[in-house]
Amino acid sequence: MKALLYFLLLLLPFSAYSASNSVVLPPANLINVIDDFVVDALNKDSFYQHLDKGVPGTPIRFVTYVERVQTSGGFAAETTSGLLAASTLGLVPILRNKDFKVVFRVLANGKIITEYEYVKNVTDATSLYTFQNTELSDDLKIWVVDVLNQTTQKLKRDKVLLDLIAEYKYYYGDY
């Protein structure tokens, strides 16, 4: 019984210390250009509990967006398969090869504090009639959520962001 009591007395202060010093992003505007599934993934982590689309007056912004970068080989494949699809009235699919880049940024007063980029090469086939469809596939959504989780872990250890959080707490207290 004594051993259990000593163990609890030693363990409780450390668990209280780690719980009270968990890293949380200060109130910040969320600018999400990807899709609503990103907001759902952000809401699952307590690090982003003060992140919202409509936080007035905060100098901190968390920005997520996607770029589709055309590769040189992808342009040739898309042009050739597009001409072939047009000549067969859409029977042959159009092949597209692009670099899909996801960017996560934290800005303070309009200046980039920290930024993480992830690139994945994506090849897909589409019909001539649905060519303008820009919705993300399920595989890409899973990949974006995975890199978002990686970014969250990196942000929790990012020196510049931790300094910003400490300065925010110094001036505004706990939020």
Side-chain angles (χ1 to χ4, degrees):
M1 186 67 175
K2 277 185 173 180
L4 179 63
L5 185 60
Y6 286 130
F7 177 74
L8 289 176
L9 288 175
L10 288 174
L11 183 64
L12 284 177
F14 292 113
S15 64
Y17 177 77
S18 65
S20 65
N21 285 329
S22 63
V23 179
V24 177
L25 193 66
N29 280 332
L30 171 64
I31 301 171
N32 174 27
V33 187
I34 299 175
D35 205 346
D36 288 339
F37 73 90
V38 173
V39 177
D40 296 338
L42 290 173
N43 289 335
K44 290 180 183 175
D45 196 322
S46 64
F47 178 73
Y48 302 107
Q49 68 187 6
H50 300 292
L51 193 64
D52 195 7
K53 292 180 187 177
V55 179
T58 181
I60 303 169
R61 287 184 173 75
F62 185 78
V63 181
T64 65
Y65 67 91
V66 171
E67 289 181 23
R68 290 176 177 89
V69 181
Q70 186 79 34
T71 60
S72 60
F75 177 74
E78 189 172 333
T79 303
T80 306
S81 63
L83 290 171
L84 188 58
S87 68
T88 61
L89 300 176
L91 293 176
V92 176
I94 299 173
L95 299 176
R96 297 187 289 185
N97 183 326
K98 295 185 179 187
D99 284 339
F100 185 80
K101 181 164 74 169
V102 180
V103 180
F104 301 101
R105 285 185 180 161
V106 178
L107 292 93
N109 292 325
K111 295 181 182 174
I112 298 173
I113 297 297
T114 187
E115 177 180 55
Y116 294 98
E117 293 182 358
Y118 302 91
V119 178
K120 181 176 184 172
N121 189 279
V122 178
T123 302
D124 65 341
T126 185
S127 170
L128 181 65
Y129 305 109
T130 60
F131 187 68
Q132 298 299 324
N133 186 6
T134 58
E135 187 174 319
L136 298 180
S137 67
D138 290 338
D139 292 340
L140 280 178
K141 288 180 181 180
I142 292 169
W143 179 75
V144 169
V145 170
D146 184 45
V147 296
L148 177 62
N149 293 335
Q150 292 175 22
T151 302
T152 302
Q153 297 309 313
K154 290 178 182 179
L155 286 173
K156 289 179 181 180
R157 296 185 308 268
D158 191 291
K159 172 87 170 103
V160 177
L161 184 61
L162 291 176
D163 290 345
L164 177 70
I165 291 171
E167 183 177 356
Y168 197 92
K169 282 185 178 182
Y170 176 78
Y171 286 109
Y172 300 108
D174 287 334
Y175 35 88

